[in-house]
Structures are given as structure tokens and as C-alpha cells.
Amino acid sequence: MNGVFKDREEAGQRLAERLAASPREGRLLVLALPRGGLPIGLAVARRLRAPLDLLLVRKIGAPWQPELAVAAVVDGEPPQLVIDERTCALTGADAAYIEKAKAHELQEIERRRHVYLRGRAPLRVQGATVIVVDDGLATGTTMRAALKALRLMKPKRLVVAVPVAPADTLAELAAEVDEVVCLEQPEFFHAIGNHYADFHQVPDEEVIAALDAAARITTAGGG
């Protein structure tokens, strides 16, 4: 396919097969970054017969290019903030900009917790092999923030699994996790969406449907 996925579902199925090829002992938990990571996470959870949950993290984009992450904030007590100092310097994102954007993104995290989880407590991370998935990585800032928060929850093992990412980003993340799984590492990487034929914005309804589908899998005896 020349490195291009049909859509997130197809990418998730391919990623799930790669993950299934390496058996993992103990309790598994798949965590997806909303919203684009949910179709990926559902495919992985189905293949591994593992529970699926959300990792509520929000990217803070550059002032002139919202898709370029300069920082990221993760839900928690207290919330975890990770700043990409190099990208901030290049884009002019100063401390005041970061702080204002952080407040806005925390409001969105609170909204998503209410809409998606509907009062349900997060699944237990401690002691589990946690597979963190998204539809791709660019700078990796959002994922690094997620991993920083997850380490505080004491998982047994941390795995990052994505369909596509640049090699340098994966190399940086390798020091943060126990395993990195990635299907495509393009030599020339511009944006995640360039590697998908269909890269539509995932609506809230699709996120909720994926979580409900995953809950049915585990209720039926998986995970």
C-alpha cells in the first residue's frame, strides 16, 4: 500500500496482528488516545481480547499550526504537563501561551470524561501490561505526556503501538517504554493524515460506540 492505510480500522487491524504475534503474559489493558486512537484501540482490544479504556490527554498546538504539538496535558491529580522546549522556541509559544492553552484543554478533558466515561471509573493500570495506542505520532509530545502520567500509576509493562511515526520520534520514545511497535516509519514524514486515505475527524459518537463495543467483548469473557 506504499505506506498508506485505507482508514483507522484497517490500520488498527494490521497493528493488532503485529501485536498478537508476540504473546504477553499477565493482565492486558489497551489505552487509546481520543479521539483518533479509539478505532485503533478497538481493533487491538478485539484481537487481544483485552479491555479498552481512554487515556485523556490533550495536545497544545503551536500558535500558527494547531496540529504541531508544543506541549500536552494529561488528566490526573494533579494534571501532568509535558512541554517540548525546542518546538516552543521555534514557534514562539511562551509560558503565558502554554498556561492559557492548558486551562482550555483541561476544560475539554473534563467534558470528554463526562461524555465518554459517563461516570465510570478508569480501569486499573497498576500491575498490567498497558498497550497505549494512537492513530500515529508526529513529534510525540502528546504521547510522552501520556506515558509520564502512566508511569505514576505503576504498570507492569508499558507498550506504545501506532500504525505510523517518524523514526526519530520512535527513537526518543523508546527510552520511555518497554516496547515500541510501529508498522510504518516513512523516510519523509509530514503529517499523520498523509498516510491515510480516510482520516476523518472521529466524532464523539464513534468514541462512545467503540467503548461500548469493547465493553461487550470483555463482558462476554475476554480480557
Side-chain angles (χ1 to χ4, degrees):
M1 295 181 65
N2 296 323
V4 176
F5 302 102
K6 175 185 175 184
D7 53 25
R8 291 181 179 89
E9 288 74 17
E10 191 263 351
Q13 290 165 10
R14 288 176 56 187
L15 187 63
E17 289 304 317
R18 175 73 65 83
L19 287 162
S22 300
R24 293 171 177 82
E25 297 180 355
R27 181 167 58 92
L28 295 179
L29 174 61
V30 179
L31 292 182
L33 275 64
R35 289 177 286 191
L38 262 294
I40 309 289
L42 179 58
V44 171
R46 278 175 169 157
R47 182 65 180 83
L48 301 182
R49 305 295 295 178
L52 171 67
D53 208 353
L54 298 180
L55 187 55
L56 292 171
V57 54
R58 290 289 294 171
K59 171 175 60 183
I60 296 175
W64 52 271
Q65 189 177 347
E67 287 303 310
L68 178 62
V70 296
V73 61
V74 188
D75 190 25
E77 294 294 340
Q80 297 289 321
L81 178 69
V82 172
I83 299 174
D84 188 322
E85 300 287 356
R86 181 179 57 185
T87 308
C88 283
L90 290 172
T91 60
D94 59 14
Y97 173 84
I98 295 292
E99 195 60 33
K100 181 178 179 180
K102 174 186 172 183
H104 174 77
E105 298 304 342
L106 283 172
Q107 289 180 345
E108 177 60 13
I109 284 175
E110 181 62 31
R111 184 195 74 82
R112 292 186 176 200
R113 185 195 298 118
H114 175 74
V115 172
Y116 300 156
L117 299 181
R118 293 166 287 181
R120 177 177 63 78
L123 297 180
R124 185 167 59 92
V125 167
Q126 184 175 358
T129 292
V130 179
I131 302 173
V132 187
V133 302
D134 203 354
D135 51 17
L137 299 173
T139 65
T141 299
T142 306
M143 183 63 78
R144 281 196 298 275
L147 297 172
K148 178 180 178 182
L150 280 175
R151 279 296 185 196
L152 297 176
M153 302 177 194
K154 303 186 185 307
K156 177 182 178 181
R157 186 173 173 84
L158 265 182
V159 180
V160 168
V162 293
V164 61
D168 57 346
T169 295
L170 294 175
E172 291 177 4
L173 280 177
E176 308 285 339
V177 296
D178 300 293
E179 182 182 355
V180 175
V181 178
C182 182
L183 301 178
E184 301 284 348
Q185 300 177 44
E187 183 178 357
F188 301 104
F189 187 97
H190 298 291
I192 297 168
N194 289 353
H195 303 280
Y196 287 83
D198 174 4
F199 196 67
H200 68 276
Q201 182 172 343
V202 177
D204 287 346
E205 295 76 13
E206 191 172 336
V207 172
I208 294 167
L211 290 171
D212 288 346
R216 288 193 294 271
I217 294 168
T218 52
T219 299

